[in-house]
Amino acid sequence: MKTDLATVGKFPRKEMIKNPIDFRNLFKNGRRVSVSGAKLFFLENNSDCNRIAFPLPRGYGNAVERNASKRYSREAYRLTKTFLNTGYDILFLVYPGNDSFSTRCVQFRTLCEKAGLIKE
């Protein structure tokens, strides 16, 4: 997968899900797909951009491991977002285990393909 770094851009605040009601709505009403070590919940949001969150389950290592895991997830999303259809709320849930950037990129890309979020 090739990406043009000039078009990838940043990860602005408007693309983040912060409201607990939105989290509950995604867990309750969102469709889900999974691979070994990760799950993706997604739901249409009727807007012109995707919003995403990276929660971690309770007991996920210490603060250093949690922060590194979230950094890997954000970067995997940032590199992939130009290939995604817009108008979705996405929740990317990762479980403890094999935690590396390359693994995270493969997980995220595979989940998006399974969910049908990749542009044709």
Side-chain angles (χ1 to χ4, degrees), residues 43-63:
L43 188 64
E44 287 191 45
N45 65 9
N46 299 322
S47 74
D48 61 342
C49 70
N50 289 331
R51 296 185 319 152
I52 191 162
F54 307 102
L56 296 171
R58 289 186 184 189
Y60 191 103
N62 60 22

Side-chain angles (χ1 to χ4, degrees), residues 2-111:
K2 291 186 138 199
T3 59
D4 181 16
L5 294 178
T7 60
V8 172
K10 299 180 180 178
F11 183 42
R13 193 166 204 60
K14 71 175 187 167
E15 292 183 7
M16 297 179 200
I17 298 174
K18 295 288 187 183
N19 191 345
I21 293 170
D22 293 333
F23 277 92
R24 273 185 251 131
N25 189 28
L26 269 166
F27 277 117
K28 185 177 179 183
N29 301 321
R31 291 181 293 175
R32 65 192 70 162
V33 292
S34 62
V35 295
S36 178
K39 276 188 185 176
L40 184 84
F41 296 80
F42 62 101
L43 188 64
E44 287 191 45
N45 65 9
N46 299 322
S47 74
D48 61 342
C49 70
N50 289 331
R51 296 185 319 152
I52 191 162
F54 307 102
L56 296 171
R58 289 186 184 189
Y60 191 103
N62 60 22
V64 173
E65 292 169 350
R66 288 191 300 272
N67 290 333
S69 180
K70 286 186 179 187
R71 271 196 311 274
Y72 296 154
S73 298
R74 280 193 301 269
E75 187 65 11
Y77 168 72
R78 192 183 69 79
L79 293 173
T80 310
K81 74 179 182 178
T82 57
F83 302 104
L84 298 178
N85 294 322
T86 57
Y88 289 94
D89 283 347
I90 301 168
L91 193 136
F92 184 50
L93 183 63
V94 179
Y95 296 104
N98 186 8
D99 211 18
S100 70
F101 179 65
S102 59
T103 304
R104 189 62 43 84
C105 287
V106 170
Q107 286 175 334
F108 189 73
R109 176 75 179 191
T110 305
L111 286 169

